[in-house]
Amino acid sequence: MNSVPFEMGPIRPVDEADSLLIRTTRGCPWNRCTFCTLYDDMKFSLRSVSEIKKDILAAKEYFKGHPFETCFLQDGDSFVMRTKDLIEILETLRKAFPSLKRISSYGRAQTMVKKTPSAMKEIFNAGLNKLYCGMESGSVQVLESVRKGITPESIIKSACMAREAGMDTTQFIILGLGGKKLSKLHAIETAKVLNEINPDYIRLLTIGVKPGSGLDRQMAKKEFSLPSEAQIIAEQRLLLEHLEGITSHYANHHSVDLLLEIRGQLPGDKNRLLAILDRFLSLSDVDQINFVLGRRLGYYRQLSDMKNDIQYRAVEKQTRKIRQTDPDSFEEIFHNLRIQVI
Ligand code: SF4
């Protein structure tokens, strides 16, 4: 039950923590990705313009002149709205909250390619100036295997159209989504697509297979095999190595990511970021396990925290206990800790 007098959806991007949230759609119009359980119990619906406008006015009344600078349109894809309806909502929002500098939304590639470049420009001019896209991978095989319902072509076309219209774009990538089998392909093909788009922001997320998801069932049938933490870092290294000629801001920014210090501006910071990944990969097996467990349990925030002898020994005590009971269970434990934060 909402404690505010207007409707709110279940999620927002990490970067929208301080934003006004206005719900334009309920759920996801696709809702078939095998790794996603977000809207499992929710039937997709478009909210009517009058309903959304009522919410905007209720939010205005509720927040009483709060100078919001950012607003995020929930839930999964505001571009399914008719262009003229979306523009009406954006205009109402800007009138009700004149301090807004940024209005953002998720956008599905397959929906956005149905808009014309001039419609995208009109939407941008009406105020929607930031777009979050979950491309997840640039590999056809990976996209098909997780039933993402988008193609590298639609990802590139929609992202380029949004950028040309003037929108800031963020692309989310899920590390490990191709499993062990498609890991290399996932890294290299994703880099290729990102090189074509040159998004403003690239955000990496590390895979966590939610119980009850399609991917979980595939894993149980041994059709999908989860890469280890070190393999996921090696995958990321390959991806980053293949990013060429782009100027995106690149970051691991979700607590599910192992190396939160991977954050920088391309191309200038590329070598520095590769060096951090290499630092992890060159650790001994014992230290890799110590770092991953320490990071996942909250002892460490970054690699250099391992130098703190007290923390290192505290984590070592935990790893010793696991080795004594089940030395083969580390990766399972790491994965379980990951899914607790997504
Ligand atoms: S990942 Fe995105 S597109 Fe896929 S089902 Fe979830 S919300 Fe929908």
Side-chain angles (χ1 to χ4, degrees), residues 27-33 35-39 76 108 134 136 147-148:
C28 165
W30 177 248
N31 214 10
R32 282 177 236 177
C33 302
F35 57 89
C36 177
T37 53
L38 260 181
Y39 302 112
R108 273 199 86 231
E136 334 294 10
R147 301 181 68 205
K148 182 69 197 176

Side-chain angles (χ1 to χ4, degrees), residues 87 116-127 161 164-167:
I87 288 173
T116 61
S118 64
M120 291 295 274
K121 185 77 190 162
E122 281 174 51
I123 293 169
F124 169 76
N125 288 340
M161 215 159 55
E164 272 156 33
M167 294 173 195

Side-chain angles (χ1 to χ4, degrees), residues 13-267:
V14 173
D15 291 345
E16 301 292 334
D18 299 324
S19 300
L20 167 69
L21 302 176
I22 294 293
R23 195 176 204 186
T24 57
T25 60
R26 297 185 189 100
C28 165
W30 177 248
N31 214 10
R32 282 177 236 177
C33 302
T34 58
F35 57 89
C36 177
T37 53
L38 260 181
Y39 302 112
D40 268 4
D41 303 325
M42 199 185 294
K43 195 171 175 296
F44 176 74
S45 65
L46 249 168
R47 300 188 70 212
S48 70
V49 172
S50 61
E51 219 179 335
I52 305 167
K53 280 168 94 171
K54 230 163 101 186
D55 272 5
I56 294 171
L57 297 179
K60 181 185 170 172
E61 178 60 29
Y62 181 78
F63 290 112
K64 294 199 190 336
H66 182 84
F68 280 106
E69 294 198 347
T70 55
C71 171
F72 176 69
L73 304 180
Q74 299 176 298
D75 290 346
D77 184 3
S78 303
F79 288 83
V80 291
M81 292 178 76
R82 287 190 301 181
T83 300
K84 79 172 192 35
D85 291 349
L86 182 52
I87 288 173
E88 193 175 337
I89 292 306
L90 292 165
E91 284 167 351
T92 310
L93 245 172
R94 285 172 62 203
K95 218 164 136 196
F97 294 91
S99 52
L100 284 178
K101 291 188 180 137
R102 185 180 85 202
I103 305 177
S104 59
S105 171
Y106 283 129
R108 273 199 86 231
Q110 232 58 14
T111 315
M112 285 187 289
V113 288
K114 292 185 190 135
K115 303 267 186 218
T116 61
S118 64
M120 291 295 274
K121 185 77 190 162
E122 281 174 51
I123 293 169
F124 169 76
N125 288 340
L128 204 157
N129 50 10
K130 181 158 178 68
L131 191 64
Y132 293 98
C133 303
M135 65 175 265
E136 334 294 10
S137 176
S139 151
V140 185
Q141 283 96 319
V142 175
L143 291 169
E144 283 180 2
S145 74
V146 298
R147 301 181 68 205
K148 182 69 197 176
I150 59 177
T151 62
E153 292 73 27
S154 67
I155 295 168
I156 294 170
K157 188 175 172 195
S158 58
C160 291
M161 215 159 55
R163 287 208 81 190
E164 272 156 33
M167 294 173 195
D168 245 28
T169 56
T170 296
Q171 291 289 348
F172 294 107
I173 309 299
I174 302 183
L175 295 166
L177 193 62
K180 280 186 187 161
K181 201 168 111 200
L182 300 178
S183 176
K184 279 194 178 148
L185 199 71
H186 177 42
I188 293 170
E189 298 293 307
T190 300
K192 268 191 209 162
V193 171
L194 289 170
N195 289 344
E196 292 270 337
I197 302 172
N198 191 14
D200 298 282
Y201 303 93
I202 299 172
R203 296 293 180 247
L204 287 296
L205 295 164
T206 305
I207 191 161
V209 180
K210 289 273 188 72
S213 64
L215 207 51
D216 186 36
R217 288 189 287 279
Q218 278 175 282
M219 235 165 64
K221 286 194 263 171
K222 309 257 184 269
E223 291 167 7
F224 179 88
S225 139
L226 206 57
S228 67
E229 294 269 6
Q231 285 165 337
I232 293 173
I233 294 299
E235 179 179 293
Q236 174 162 208
R237 198 206 183 284
L238 193 63
L239 187 157
L240 184 56
E241 188 191 325
H242 282 79
L243 292 178
E244 296 287 351
I246 58 172
T247 53
S248 315
H249 186 268
Y250 180 100
N252 291 203
H253 76 151
H254 193 286
S255 47
V256 73
D257 296 321
L258 186 66
L259 297 172
L260 290 169
E261 59 264 59
I262 298 288
R263 166 175 286 269
Q265 192 69 45
L266 298 176

